[in-house]
Amino acid sequence: MQVSPLCLGAMMFGAWGEPDHDTSIKIIHRALDAGINFIDTADVYSQGESETIVGKALANGRRDDVILATKFHGQMGVAPGQTGGDPNKRGNSRRWIIQEVENSLRRLNTDWIDLYQVHRPDRDTAIDETLSALTDLQRQGKIRAFGSSTFPAHEVVEAQWTARDRGLSPFVTEQPPYSILVRAIEADLLPVTQRYDMGVLPWSPLAGGWLTGRYRKGQEIPASRRAERMPARYDLSDPDNQRKLEAADALAVVAENAGMSLVHMALAFVLQHPAVTAPIIGPRTMEQLETQLGAVDVTLTTDVLDQIDKIVPPGVTLARADRGYVPPALQDPFLRRRRTS
């Protein structure tokens, strides 16, 4: 499957971002008309609403021309930030995978999913159980391929070895967090994906909005839907966030001196890594989409890359919260305990 240099992320379509379905559909259609043929969503995004919107957008003959990706793992049936829910409606077990793929197919209004991804690792499920269920779905024609998301390098290797030893299909992609401010995967994960010839689909290449050019020293932190949901990630009393602000401001100066927007520089930085297949952009508005589309035509010079490295060195992630960040709807008690211990 050949995909466009940018992937359209659909997390912001629905209650988490743009609640109006017609507006979201117009954004999706604009992206398709601009040459994007790759859309990524997840069952947990607005509790299935995002998948429903994508399904509507791909009706009337557009489905066949799109590489469609979605994900499973997060708790379904519970509002973001809330606990509880049916423990069998989450995770990476065979039972849940077989059940939830049918739900996603129905919401997406399609007979097949091109790329079905494990949204996060699951400590309660052996990786061979997950790979076996996904291989069965692939052989049934319900999915074309499958991948992982936000897996550490050692678990990517374990999954590859398990697939080899058990005669199962392997993960063919990994979807990690990656941006100028979040570069830890350069040290281990990206070399692993290259070793196993995996596609890499980085999420949050604009670092949760920090690399949009709106975050500058001496200015008030702009309001956003993301900041409302996750205020701690933008609280400037946190030294980590101060470091991000200082880096974002310095990077904006580099972009200005190079004659480009910070958005284009940030996306081009991710695009130019030889291991990267397609960064996932997640616009909430048409304006945000338009500011990002031109990044595919930008090439960063060695001088610009060297300046970026001086601000955020290779393999470094500035904020502790970003090293293991998991959206609230995907958190489980084990992950919370591990991050705060």
Side-chain angles (χ1 to χ4, degrees):
M1 290 182 282
Q2 301 297 313
V3 298
S4 50
L6 293 177
C7 174
L8 179 67
M11 186 176 78
M12 300 306 293
F13 302 145
W16 288 13
E18 174 50 67
D20 184 76
H21 287 205
D22 289 340
T23 300
S24 297
I25 290 169
K26 288 178 182 177
I27 296 171
I28 294 171
H29 287 172
R30 169 64 182 123
L32 297 180
D33 292 342
I36 290 177
N37 76 338
F38 191 16
I39 298 177
D40 174 78
T41 183
D43 57 359
V44 78
Y45 294 162
S46 298
Q47 289 293 294
E49 188 180 7
S50 172
E51 287 186 326
T52 298
I53 292 170
V54 171
K56 290 179 180 178
L58 297 184
N60 301 319
R62 288 182 176 262
R63 172 65 185 94
D64 289 345
D65 298 325
V66 170
I67 304 300
L68 181 57
T70 191
K71 301 183 285 291
F72 69 90
H73 169 85
Q75 178 71 61
M76 297 298 288
V78 176
Q82 302 299 312
T83 58
D86 185 342
N88 291 311
K89 292 185 176 181
R90 68 182 185 208
N92 305 341
S93 69
R94 170 177 283 272
R95 183 182 190 278
W96 180 235
I97 293 170
I98 298 302
Q99 180 179 344
E100 187 59 0
V101 73
E102 299 295 341
N103 294 331
S104 287
L105 287 168
R106 183 184 66 255
R107 289 188 293 258
L108 290 164
N109 191 31
T110 186
D111 294 326
W112 81 97
I113 294 165
D114 293 295
L115 179 63
Y116 200 39
Q117 299 158 102
V118 187
H119 213 156
R120 294 294 187 273
D122 180 0
R123 69 184 178 95
D124 295 323
T125 305
I127 190 63
D128 58 339
E129 177 178 341
T130 301
L131 293 171
S132 175
L134 292 169
T135 298
D136 287 345
L137 291 179
Q138 185 184 44
R139 290 170 179 169
Q140 293 166 18
K142 293 183 178 180
I143 64 176
R144 298 291 189 256
F146 52 87
S148 57
S149 175
T150 320
F151 272 46
H154 72 277
E155 294 196 36
V156 171
V157 173
E158 180 188 6
Q160 292 290 328
W161 287 9
T162 299
R164 178 197 64 192
D165 294 345
R166 302 296 174 88
L168 303 170
S169 296
F171 289 140
V172 297
T173 59
E174 162 59 17
Q175 187 180 130
Y178 184 43
S179 70
I180 295 176
L181 300 184
V182 181
R183 301 183 62 176
I185 65 169
E186 293 172 341
D188 52 10
L189 180 67
L190 292 183
V192 164
T193 60
Q194 289 180 297
R195 170 66 179 82
Y196 291 102
D197 196 26
M198 298 173 67
V200 177
L201 319 171
W203 56 266
S204 200
L206 299 180
W210 284 98
L211 298 178
T212 59
R214 301 174 65 209
Y215 293 83
R216 300 298 299 268
K217 292 169 65 174
Q219 300 179 9
E220 291 188 10
I221 292 294
S224 70
R225 296 283 182 88
R226 186 182 286 107
E228 291 174 1
R229 292 202 320 270
M230 299 170 282
R233 298 190 76 209
Y234 303 89
D235 180 4
L236 290 183
S237 65
D238 185 331
D240 280 340
N241 291 332
Q242 279 288 348
R243 283 192 285 273
K244 286 196 286 188
L245 177 62
E246 292 173 3
D249 188 78
L251 290 166
V253 173
V254 173
E256 290 168 0
N257 291 338
M260 68 184 74
S261 70
L262 180 56
V263 168
H264 281 187
M265 187 177 82
L267 290 174
F269 173 84
V270 176
L271 275 163
Q272 280 188 222
H273 195 289
V276 168
T277 304
I280 299 171
I281 58 174
R284 182 179 59 82
T285 67
M286 189 70 76
E287 179 185 7
Q288 290 175 355
L289 173 65
E290 296 291 353
T291 63
Q292 298 175 52
L293 289 175
V296 296
D297 299 318
V298 174
T299 299
L300 303 184
T301 65
T302 300
D303 179 60
V304 169
L305 292 171
D306 288 344
Q307 293 179 64
I308 290 172
D309 287 348
K310 290 179 181 178
I311 297 168
V312 184
V316 167
T317 291
L318 289 185
R320 288 188 302 273
D322 290 324
R323 291 173 191 141
Y325 171 65
V326 180
L330 300 180
Q331 290 178 0
D332 63 41
F334 171 74
L335 288 174
R336 287 198 295 273
R337 286 196 300 271
R338 184 166 61 184
R339 284 198 302 277
T340 57
S341 62

